[in-house]
Structures are given as structure tokens and as C-alpha cells.
Amino acid sequence: MRVDDLIERARKLKEKGLTIGEIASELNVSRETAMWLLAKVREDKVISDVHVDLKNISHPYRMRSIANALADMISEKITENPEVVVGVATSGIPIATFVAEYLESDLSMYYPKKLKWEGEESRVGGIFSENFARVDEKKCVIVDNVVTTGNTIRETIEQIKIRKGDVLCSAVVIDKRGFDEIEGVPLLSLFKIVRI
């Protein structure tokens, strides 16, 4: 996808009323990149981010296959059975649903603060959906689609620990930074993007 196409998609999403965080999540880019896409593009400024287009796995059969591969990696990495799989909103939730099914675990949903952030970051916090499993005092696995900075996984780990939950590992389809762990929690990924 060309940068001009991303700029156009970002502007259309903004016109629909999405926040910067929601646009970043929708485009699979960092919040900073989303802001850059919405601002006037300057030729002399270069953003060091990578857009990830996951449309080709949107078919449930393909998504289940990807999720099964992640779940298999999780089973191989950890010795304890997770009680709850935490799907990070929004793009991590469908994958987390299939991972939870494979691991025979409950499903929880976490809405990170980036989805609500529009200005003063310190006043905004993420939340767990009350409609799904609780993470309180449970063994958890976090699932998302893409790691860009690690901040969303870091925030989710922190929120689970506040609720006295234990994070066994986190898993993503694509890791843009090449992390092995975040906050001491192993990070598993199907693909790592490594800049040379």
C-alpha cells in the first residue's frame, strides 16, 4: 500500500469520527504514524514505521489457521494452562477468540487507552469489557495482532497484574520491533520485522 493511500484511509477514518488511537489500530501503525498521516505531509520528514495489511486473513478459516499456529506456539512455550485469553481491542479480539477456543480457555477483552486517547494522555486509562471473563487472580495469555512499540502489551500486562492476575505470555501475529519479552513476559510472534 502506498503512503498516499494510507493518508487517504486515515483521513476517511477521522471523518467517520474515529480517534487517533482507533485510526492507528485500524491501520496497524503507531499512534505517532497515524498523527503524521493526518497532518500535512512534509517531504523532509520520514516516519520509521511499517504498515501491516492483514485483510487477507480476514476470512474466518484463515484467521483460525493463524490463531491455531499462535495457540500451538503458546502451548509449546508455557507449562501451565491459561485460564483466560485476553484479546486486545480491536484487531486482536477475533484472533484471541480462536486462540481461546484452541486452548480451551475463557475469553476476556481489553480496550487499551490508545483507543480513547485524543489529548491529555494521563487522564485516560484502558478498561476490560465487563461482558467477558474476568482476569482477577487468573493465569492469562495476551493476544494481539501487531506489536509496534510494545506499549499496548505493556499496559495490558500492568492492568492484569493490578487485578492480581498472572501473565504467562503474550502472542501476536507480527512483531515490528523484534521483542523477545515485554516487562519480563515472553512475547511470541509468527513473524518479526527486523530492520537491518
Side-chain angles (χ1 to χ4, degrees):
M1 180 172 282
R2 296 182 6 235
V3 172
D4 291 340
D5 295 334
L6 282 174
I7 291 168
E8 185 60 27
R9 282 188 63 202
R11 287 190 178 147
K12 285 182 180 177
L13 291 170
K14 186 67 177 171
E15 287 171 6
K16 289 181 180 180
L18 273 69
T19 66
I20 300 290
E22 290 169 325
I23 293 167
S25 182
E26 195 66 29
L27 297 178
N28 292 314
V29 298
S30 70
R31 187 171 57 211
E32 292 75 21
T33 300
M35 288 188 291
W36 179 81
L37 291 169
L38 290 167
K40 284 192 170 191
V41 179
R42 291 180 20 205
E43 296 297 324
D44 60 337
K45 186 168 182 185
V46 178
I47 294 292
S48 63
D49 198 355
V50 176
H51 167 69
V52 177
D53 186 346
L54 295 173
K55 285 185 198 135
N56 286 331
I57 68 164
S58 64
H59 187 281
Y61 173 79
R62 292 176 186 163
M63 192 173 299
R64 183 184 303 275
S65 297
I66 295 288
N68 286 349
L70 276 178
D72 185 60
M73 290 171 62
I74 292 166
S75 295
E76 184 178 83
K77 180 69 176 178
I78 61 175
T79 57
E80 301 178 75
N81 291 331
E83 298 169 279
V84 178
V85 172
V86 178
V88 178
T90 53
S91 299
I93 293 171
I95 297 165
T97 302
F98 288 124
V99 170
E101 177 185 54
Y102 183 102
L103 297 175
E104 298 180 354
S105 302
D106 289 337
L107 176 69
S108 179
M109 290 176 31
Y110 182 70
Y111 295 94
K113 65 183 175 184
K114 74 176 184 179
L115 296 182
K116 301 185 291 178
W117 181 82
E118 275 299 321
E120 183 58 42
E121 189 170 354
S122 62
R123 293 195 317 240
V124 179
I127 59 166
F128 285 94
S129 171
E130 295 293 323
N131 295 321
F132 292 86
R134 299 178 61 88
V135 299
D136 305 59
E137 300 180 14
K138 301 285 176 106
K139 297 174 194 166
C140 302
V141 169
I142 299 168
V143 174
D144 202 354
N145 64 333
V146 176
V147 165
T148 300
T149 63
N151 290 338
T152 302
I153 297 288
R154 193 172 288 109
E155 175 189 335
T156 309
I157 291 168
E158 179 183 307
Q159 291 301 314
I160 291 170
K161 287 182 176 181
I162 286 171
R163 289 158 180 77
K164 299 189 184 341
D166 183 22
V167 183
L168 304 174
C169 72
S170 55
V172 297
V173 178
I174 297 172
D175 175 2
K176 292 185 182 183
R177 295 294 168 116
F179 292 122
D180 290 324
E181 63 177 42
I182 297 176
E183 297 296 316
V185 174
L187 174 68
L188 311 174
S189 63
L190 288 177
F191 304 100
K192 287 185 188 295
I193 297 174
V194 179
R195 288 169 182 82
I196 299 176

